[in-house]
Amino acid sequence: MNKDKQRELKKSVSAFAKPDTKAGIRQLINTVIPFVLLWVLAYASLSVSVWLAVPVAMIAGGFVIRLFIIFHDCTHQSFLKSQKANRIIGTITGILTLFPFDKWKRSHSIHHATSGNLDKRGTGDIWVMTVDEYIKASWKERLAYRLYRNPIVMFGLGPLYLFLVSNRFNRKGAKKKERTNTYVTNIAVLAIYSLIIFAIGWEAFLIIQIPVLYVSGVLGIWLFYVQHQFEDSYFEDESEWDFVKAAVDGSSYYKLPKVLQWVSGNIGFHHVHHLAPRVPNYALEEAHEKTPPLKHATTITLATSLESIRFRLYDTENKTFVSFKEVKPLLKKKRLAMLDQRQPSFQDE
């Protein structure tokens, strides 16, 4: 696709970047109210059985994903027309989902500006090493990377790290506005949790809230992971990197069943979102359907997305993700070369 066609495509999709106040309010109503009702129902279910309350809490966790998408749109100033309203709603939904508005807005903006750029990795991204980097890395660095990419660590421990550590502390060098917003978010979360614990007790609170947050955390990390970690995803050096190609070729169309598409706030249309971040989530599907070139974006389904678990390293030579197993022969070759270097030659004796 030449530059003129790229500009035309971006312009076509940007035409859908029109926040609709009525659509936004409807989404708030059909997200916040069901979430609160499910939380209350989970508590009421405790009088019958813990095994009834936990599944209800897990369903409520799905609505946290939907709350997060509203938060996400607010950080892009795309959910409602008013910037002030976006900030207020974004801060409130950030408190409900345990995400500080300003901190996440900054890191996510960097993610959009650098996605697929091999020279600008590290902020707001899943950690990706290239095959060459992995082979040249020390055994400690390889171990750290293997642990990070292990599904048990990423999806099992990842939510705990995200909610309890990453989102709770300010980054080094954060400006006053960002730091203050994180403090306000933490204080508000502590106050709300304290009131609920005072009202229903800490045991009941934990039985409900842990499944709510854990389910939402696992699903959220999975969605973020799978939408950039597919076999022929786009990664290029700074000199070759292109924003439109990174959006269309480096972000997938995650074709989900309608119920899951609704719960996930249409974020499966990730290629549309990266091409035009100001398009609100409730307009992503329309933008996809009415922009013919986007029909050629990489499409993954629930079944095919599971394959992404084995994609661990990016092969810059073949422009594809590979597994650790596929890189083993190269590592063996490196070890043999190192052994050869250590052994004295005949001339050295």
Side-chain angles (χ1 to χ4, degrees), residues 140-152:
K140 289 182 180 180
E141 290 171 324
R142 289 199 298 271
L143 177 61
Y145 186 71
R146 289 183 76 98
L147 286 172
Y148 176 90
R149 301 287 294 204
N150 186 290
I152 295 174

Side-chain angles (χ1 to χ4, degrees), residues 77-89:
Q77 296 293 326
S78 65
F79 189 65
L80 297 174
K81 294 178 181 178
S82 166
Q83 288 193 9
K84 185 176 181 180
N86 278 317
R87 182 169 183 82
I88 292 171
I89 293 171

Side-chain angles (χ1 to χ4, degrees), residues 167-169 181-191:
N167 287 353
R168 304 281 64 83
F169 299 96
N181 181 260
T182 302
Y183 298 146
V184 169
T185 300
N186 290 342
I187 292 169
V189 169
L190 182 62

Side-chain angles (χ1 to χ4, degrees), residues 196-214:
I196 297 174
I197 290 171
F198 179 78
I200 69 174
W202 66 268
E203 297 98 332
F205 174 77
L206 291 180
I207 289 171
I208 299 167
Q209 190 65 1
I210 287 176
V212 167
L213 291 179
Y214 198 74

